[in-house]
Amino acid sequence: MNEEKEMNEQEFYQWIGKRIRELREKAGIKKKDLAEKLGINATFLSNIENKGQKISVFQLNRLLKFMGFTQADLMDEEGKKNFLSPSMATC
C-alpha cells in the first residue's frame, strides 16, 4: 500500500508562498511593487514567498485579486492532491 504523507502546517504555508511567487512572476509584477500596492512590508512578502510566513485568507485574497488571479489559480496539481477531496480534485 502506497500511503502519501500529509502536508503539515509549515509545509502548507511554504507551498502557498511558492505558488504566490510563481503567480507574481507569471504576472510580471515586482515583489516591491506588489508589497507597496498591498500596503505591506516587502520583507513580509519575501518571507511569505520564501520562508512559509503565515498569511491570512483576507491578505491572500487581496494579493491574488491585485495580481489578477483567483483562489482556483492558486491550486496546481500538488495543491489539488494535498488539499482537495478526491471528488473535488477532478473538477
Side-chain angles (χ1 to χ4, degrees):
M1 189 160 129
N2 187 11
E3 219 174 285
E4 294 186 33
K5 179 183 170 251
E6 189 172 310
M7 205 180 265
N8 67 37
E9 184 179 20
Q10 183 61 35
E11 290 168 331
F12 170 77
Y13 283 108
Q14 289 172 336
W15 173 80
I16 289 285
K18 179 186 88 163
R19 288 297 295 148
I20 289 170
R21 183 178 60 247
E22 289 170 354
L23 293 174
R24 179 182 57 74
E25 290 172 351
K26 182 178 180 179
I29 300 171
K30 293 180 181 176
K31 193 181 306 181
K32 178 184 167 197
D33 294 338
L34 180 58
E36 186 178 296
K37 290 289 184 185
L38 295 172
I40 62 174
N41 186 293
T43 302
F44 178 65
L45 180 57
S46 182
N47 287 340
I48 291 169
E49 290 186 355
N50 300 306
K51 296 184 179 178
Q53 171 73 43
K54 290 182 181 181
I55 182 172
S56 73
V57 172
F58 178 77
Q59 290 171 316
L60 179 60
N61 282 330
R62 283 186 64 222
L63 190 148
L64 291 170
K65 185 176 180 180
F66 176 78
M67 293 192 300
F69 295 105
T70 66
Q71 290 175 353
D73 296 321
L74 192 65
M75 285 290 160
D76 60 4
E77 288 307 311
E78 180 182 1
K80 288 178 183 176
K81 181 178 79 177
N82 286 299
F83 307 117
L84 299 179
S85 69
S87 62
M88 292 177 67
T90 58
C91 294

